Amino acid sequence: MTVNDIETHPWPPFIPEGAGVLFLGTFPPQPKRWAMNFYYPNRTNDFWKIMGIIMENNPEAFYDKANKSYHPEKIKEMLVKRRIALADTGIKVRRLRDNASDKFLEIVETLDLPALLETMPQCRAIGAAGEKAASVVASIAGIPIPPIGIPSQWTLPSGRIIGIWRLPSTSRAYPLAPEKKAEAFRKFLKEEGIIG
């Protein structure tokens, strides 16, 4: 795989039964950066640290220190229990540089979000992690990109209303401490009834 080759997303959306919210990122990094074969596989990404802070009050709750990896089964168990779904906005992408930056990622084919939401009748909200994911979701929904922490509404053709939340990027390149990022994620999960 070289720069400018088209890459296809390695995983299907992870949709637990009765999922109430959907987190959407952009696209996984190159496989050489993976510490597990699942969403947010890069050890330097803050997503699982944020979820550890929120769910277990421990940023390393889902991290396997001994193997410098993650505990994918523990992660999936938590997602199923909390009814949290995961997917990415990019299905096919082209990297314009040899890195994981969204800035140099061209989305060639986007997720068919309306079709995915049809399979998720209990989903009430989307948490788009990062500016690029939020801009893709806003473009699909035909709404302006919401500011961080203030949801917009998207009315589906069926009449169902979905809250669209823009969340801070979980990339380490986004200059905000994981604890601060966790505050925005916690607000989203709390207001959407996923956590108390």
Side-chain angles (χ1 to χ4, degrees), residues 133-176:
S135 71
V136 172
V137 173
S139 153
I140 292 169
I143 60 171
I145 301 170
I148 288 179
I150 301 169
S152 294
Q153 290 193 329
W154 175 22
T155 304
L156 300 179
S158 65
R160 179 162 53 129
I161 294 171
I162 302 286
I164 308 289
W165 292 70
R166 177 180 166 194
L167 300 168
S169 170
T170 59
S171 166
R172 193 65 58 83
Y174 186 75
L176 194 64

Side-chain angles (χ1 to χ4, degrees), residues 61-180:
F62 301 113
Y63 189 62
D64 177 355
K65 241 186 200 165
N67 297 301
K68 294 186 175 169
S69 182
Y70 290 99
H71 294 292
E73 294 316 311
K74 192 174 178 185
I75 284 170
K76 290 175 187 175
E77 195 177 293
M78 177 274 293
L79 294 171
V80 168
K81 180 182 169 192
R82 297 288 189 169
R83 300 180 337 277
I84 296 171
L86 297 177
D88 280 322
T89 53
I91 294 298
K92 290 184 187 293
V93 303
R94 186 181 285 117
R95 292 183 204 280
L96 306 179
R97 295 223 183 139
D98 187 27
N99 64 29
S101 171
D102 279 359
K103 197 191 300 186
F104 302 110
L105 199 65
E106 176 194 343
I107 297 181
V108 177
E109 181 186 331
T110 57
L111 173 71
D112 186 343
L113 188 51
L116 181 63
L117 289 169
E118 284 300 311
T119 71
M120 302 173 63
Q122 289 169 284
C123 182
R124 344 174 243 294
I126 291 168
E131 186 178 359
K132 186 146 195 151
S135 71
V136 172
V137 173
S139 153
I140 292 169
I143 60 171
I145 301 170
I148 288 179
I150 301 169
S152 294
Q153 290 193 329
W154 175 22
T155 304
L156 300 179
S158 65
R160 179 162 53 129
I161 294 171
I162 302 286
I164 308 289
W165 292 70
R166 177 180 166 194
L167 300 168
S169 170
T170 59
S171 166
R172 193 65 58 83
Y174 186 75
L176 194 64
E179 293 73 18
K180 285 285 180 195

Side-chain angles (χ1 to χ4, degrees), residues 21-38:
V21 298
L22 170 65
F23 278 114
L24 286 174
T26 307
F27 196 82
Q30 298 118 311
K32 66 183 179 186
R33 298 178 189 271
W34 295 0
M36 67 172 168
N37 192 12
F38 191 61

